Every structure is written in C-alpha cells, then in structure tokens.
Amino acid sequence: MASKKLLIIGFVWPEPKSSAAGSRMMQLIEVFQSENYQITFASPCAKSDNAFDLESIGVLQTAIELNNSSFDVFVKNLNPDVVLFDRFMMEEQFGWRVLEQCPNALRLLDTEDLHGLRKGRQNAFKDDKPFDTSYLFNDTAKREIASIYRSDLSLIISEAEIKILKNDFKVDESLLLYLPFMLEDVSNEAMKCMLKFEDRQHFVSIGNFLHAPNYNAVLYLKDIIWPWIRKQLPKVELHIYGAYASQKVNQLHNEKQGFLIKGFAEDVNQAMQQSKVCLAPIQFGAGLKGKLVDAMQNGTPCVTTTIGAEGMFGNLVSNGFIEDNPELFANKAVQLYNNESLWKEKQQNGFKIINHRFDKSQFQEKLILNIEEIKQQLNTHRINNFIGQMLQHHSMKSTKFMSKWIEEKNKN
C-alpha cells in the first residue's frame, strides 16, 4: 500500500524550546507519523538557530517562496493526501494554489490560537475599554474566519475559542475540531522524583518575548505586581525566561530588586522544577498558555489571570489562583509561596489537569478519525460548506491575482 503523504506549510520552522506553537507543531507531526504518513515540512520563513532539526526525525524539509509559481510545480509533484496550513496566513497565501494543483487533498488549518480574538483583546486593552464584539469583529478576524470556511477542517486549541466560533461567528461545527495540547501523563514515579516544596526557591515567569502578551506581562510584573510581592518577601527573586530577549527586555533586569531576566531557557523543565511558584499575569491573548502546561507538568503551582486560565482547567480546580486584581494577585502569590499544605494541594490539581484534560492518546485518535471520515466523503463535506465554496469562488481571486501580479513584478 502506497504511504500517505502530508504536506505541512509552516508560518515558521518549529521551535519547541521557544514557544508553545512549536511544541504543538511537534505534537501534530507525531500524530501523523504514528499513522505512517510521509511528511514534508515547507516554509517561506528563514530558519533561526532555535529551529528543530526535522530531518533528524525523518521529516523532509523544503524552503518555498511566496508569490511564486514554483510552489505549484512542487505541490503538484508531491501530490499530498493532506495539507496542513500552520496559521491562516499560510492558507491565504498557498490555499488557492493547493486547490488548483491538488483538488483532492484534504486541507487542514491549525489556527494555533484565534489571531482575531488576540488582536481584538489587545486593541481593547490599548483603548482601556471592555472587550466586546466591536473589537472581536476586526479585519484579522474577517481574514481568519474566511480561512476557516475555505478549509475542510480547522484544529482549535481551546474550548473557549470553539464557543466563540460557534456563537459569535456562527461557524458550523462540522468544520471545527477541538484539539488541545496532546500530552503524556505525569506518572506517579515522575511526581515522586520532583523537587519538594522545601527544596525549591524563587518565582518564575516564562514566555517568548516576541509575543506581545508575554512582553506586556513582564512589564506588568515589573511595574506593579513584583514590588508588592517583594515588599512581603524581600529576599526572594523572580526569574524571567524567554526566547528572543531584546535590549528593551534586558534593560528590565535589576538585581537589587530581585527582578532577573534570564533569557532563553535551555531546559524549561529544570527552570520550572527549581522554582516554587509560576507567575503568568496575562492581560490579553488567546489560545492555551504553554507556560501553564509547563508549570503543571513540573509540579509548580501558578498564579494567573482570567485570560491566562481561559480554556485550561475545564471543570477542574486550577493549579493555583486566578486573579485579575494586581494587589490580590501579589497576595495570592505570597500565600502560595509560604503555605506548604496549600502549595501541595495546588500541585496535585495541576497533575490531575494534565492527566485528565490533555490525554495524548484520546486526542490523537480523535484527530485521525475525523480526517479519515472527511476524506471518505470529501465531496459531500465540501458541498455542505456553501460559504466555503463561495469564498473560494470570490475572495481568493483577489489573493490569487495579487500574488500573480507580485510574481510578474518580481520578474521585471
């Protein structure tokens, strides 16, 4: 039997040590490899030193160009069974080309998080106004929802985002699949091997600094929350890790205040496990927060905000506290830091959340079943998605001819 082929069109090359998006991409690759797909990863993005060497796990790597018909030849020769677009921008750029050259390929979109939702929340935050549909229905959201309709199936990382897509944007559920992080259980042995309460010290915060919500959270910690914590715990430090620390980030480093910018974490698990409490005061954003997952996997209780906690805990009790008021946030952090029995209870909650809500085998199976089901009746599935057909017919023409125009311009 000929092996099935998957083409992943990446917005960036995966960096699992730098971002949650990178970890998620590696999880998706693992699912398809377990189903014996031959995988090609292609991206128009330049590769950084933090990029994972995909060839080391048997994935072919190809550089592709935007606005260039060389992609048409490449995709036609490859003739994939499934094409996975990493974020809606890649579907906009390459979706129409895939449709023209490989009409029978199943087109999957991994949204990572809802960019329109994140953008809307960021704008509301900047304007210091409550977030509502006037912020949600922004231009990024219009592009992203169109991309979801043009795709055969979109992978949505958070239940909260599924709800928004169904209720606010009226997207049919046949086009959506809830697929959170797919994680290994934290075993009893692993729990026993972790550093105990008395062997840990200091607070930790982590996140890729190129991501606006993370940089904002660091500023918020520095200016407002940390002074309150430090007042109550004058000898304690806050260790801040993250890839791509710029000069403006490094300037926040202040040893006297115990506010330490540590930069890129070679080993996130080690950084988390040595720390007593994780702080994640996210004020805007979307998707699931990888930093909370890292904290729970390593038995580190966490204080976060409503936005940080969104889609993470379901009906289970959180692995710490959810607090939007900065002074109360600081007080809860101090309480967790000092109270061993409370700390242990919150640590156990985190293990339970990882093992009950992100069970790898359950979600891997769900993804494969959905793909097989749609592949078997692809024509009917597409006929039932009239809005998708309409968008392929109209809106992609503008993207298509803009792309062709850029290509001609580049030739001259």
Side-chain angles (χ1 to χ4, degrees):
M1 190 180 103
S3 73
K4 300 169 283 190
K5 282 190 264 189
L6 166 71
L7 169 63
I8 302 172
I9 303 178
F11 178 63
V12 292
W13 296 92
E15 296 183 20
K17 284 186 173 183
S18 303
S19 70
S23 304
R24 165 137 175 114
M25 182 51 74
M26 299 308 294
Q27 291 165 15
L28 290 170
I29 287 171
E30 194 187 322
V31 182
F32 284 99
Q33 281 190 324
S34 73
E35 289 296 305
N36 298 319
Y37 274 81
Q38 187 187 323
I39 304 174
T40 302
F41 192 102
S43 177
C45 181
K47 217 181 261 184
S48 87
D49 295 343
N50 297 338
F52 184 85
D53 177 16
L54 292 168
E55 289 187 349
S56 70
I57 57 166
V59 173
L60 299 170
Q61 303 180 115
T62 305
I64 50 176
E65 276 186 65
L66 295 169
N67 308 311
N68 195 310
S69 51
S70 59
F71 176 84
D72 303 354
V73 179
F74 158 73
V75 78
K76 191 170 190 169
N77 288 339
L78 184 66
N79 193 22
D81 301 271
V82 179
V83 177
L84 171 65
F85 300 102
D86 166 32
R87 293 166 248 213
F88 78 90
M89 299 79 96
M90 292 297 97
E91 189 281 332
E92 276 184 341
Q93 287 288 340
F94 296 100
W96 63 272
R97 292 182 184 274
V98 170
L99 180 63
E100 281 187 359
Q101 305 301 326
C102 309
N104 298 324
L106 179 84
R107 297 188 307 277
L108 276 182
L109 171 64
D110 184 36
T111 54
E112 293 293 355
D113 62 22
L114 284 184
H115 292 63
L117 175 63
R118 174 156 35 99
K119 185 77 179 155
R121 282 178 173 162
Q122 188 171 352
N123 289 340
F125 176 78
K126 272 185 194 159
D127 295 346
D128 198 19
K129 287 187 177 165
F131 173 73
D132 58 20
T133 47
S134 67
Y135 282 103
L136 178 62
F137 297 163
N138 55 61
D139 286 353
T140 302
K142 287 165 195 163
R143 289 168 58 196
E144 188 166 32
I145 301 302
S147 183
I148 286 171
Y149 271 113
R150 286 189 302 264
S151 302
D152 296 313
L153 186 67
S154 290
L155 312 178
I156 311 297
I157 204 163
S158 157
E159 289 158 322
E161 295 186 355
I162 290 265
K163 224 181 201 165
I164 288 167
L165 288 167
K166 281 159 73 168
N167 298 343
D168 294 301
F169 293 106
K170 312 295 184 223
V171 177
D172 194 273
E173 61 186 326
S174 64
L175 300 175
L176 307 172
L177 178 66
Y178 168 55
L179 195 78
F181 293 125
M182 296 171 276
L183 308 171
E184 299 279 3
D185 274 9
V186 183
S187 66
N188 287 331
E189 291 70 44
M191 291 176 202
K192 281 176 195 153
C193 291
M194 286 180 199
L195 287 178
K196 305 284 180 279
F197 176 85
E198 60 273 15
D199 301 321
R200 296 178 180 227
Q201 57 178 352
H202 305 311
F203 289 90
V204 67
S205 189
I206 196 160
N208 182 330
F209 293 114
L210 291 179
H211 194 53
N214 290 336
Y215 176 61
N216 171 266
V218 173
L219 289 180
Y220 187 40
L221 277 167
K222 169 86 173 174
D223 297 338
I224 295 169
I225 293 171
W226 185 243
W228 271 323
I229 293 176
R230 183 77 170 180
K231 208 177 185 174
Q232 298 175 69
L233 299 168
K235 293 208 163 34
V236 172
E237 296 167 359
L238 170 56
H239 296 178
I240 294 179
Y241 292 92
Y244 304 106
S246 63
Q247 195 183 346
K248 66 177 182 178
V249 173
N250 287 321
Q251 279 171 350
L252 302 171
H253 182 90
N254 188 320
E255 299 210 3
K256 219 166 113 187
Q257 295 170 356
F259 195 91
L260 310 180
I261 304 291
K262 295 282 194 173
F264 184 70
E266 266 307 324
D267 186 341
V268 172
N269 299 323
Q270 190 184 11
M272 273 292 176
Q273 264 190 60
Q274 288 171 342
S275 308
K276 203 174 263 188
V277 176
C278 171
L279 303 179
I282 310 286
Q283 293 186 283
F284 56 86
L288 291 181
K289 310 299 173 285
K291 54 183 74 51
L292 296 190
V293 167
D294 292 333
M296 291 189 284
Q297 285 177 315
N298 289 290
T300 311
C302 193
V303 188
T304 189
T305 54
T306 308
I307 296 273
E310 184 180 74
M312 189 61 77
F313 306 121
N315 300 324
L316 299 175
V317 183
S318 88
N319 71 320
F321 293 105
I322 301 162
E323 193 50 76
D324 293 321
N325 175 296
E327 196 171 350
L328 294 177
F329 186 105
N331 292 343
K332 293 291 190 196
V334 171
Q335 196 186 344
L336 255 184
Y337 197 89
N338 287 332
N339 185 330
E340 185 174 355
S341 61
L342 176 68
W343 186 91
K344 283 180 172 169
E345 178 197 317
K346 297 299 186 184
Q347 182 188 57
Q348 288 304 315
N349 291 352
F351 295 144
K352 197 192 265 182
I353 291 156
I354 294 290
N355 294 352
H356 285 75
R357 280 185 58 75
F358 303 105
D359 176 22
K360 183 172 155 182
S361 55
Q362 177 198 337
F363 288 109
Q364 283 186 343
E365 194 180 328
K366 201 171 145 193
L367 173 59
I368 293 304
L369 280 172
N370 261 269
I371 288 171
E372 292 310 317
E373 223 168 79
I374 293 172
K375 269 164 75 177
Q376 278 165 20
Q377 32 114 29
L378 189 57
N379 203 30
T380 311
H381 181 77
R382 286 178 179 169
I383 285 169
N384 290 339
N385 175 19
F386 182 75
I387 294 176
Q389 292 179 59
M390 185 171 69
L391 287 166
Q392 291 287 9
H393 180 72
H394 285 287
S395 77
M396 288 319 286
K397 297 287 192 283
S398 58
T399 313
K400 174 177 171 177
F401 289 111
M402 170 61 98
S403 184
K404 285 179 174 292
W405 178 77
I406 292 171
E407 188 176 0
E408 287 307 312
K409 191 167 154 279
N410 289 343
K411 281 178 189 169
N412 297 329

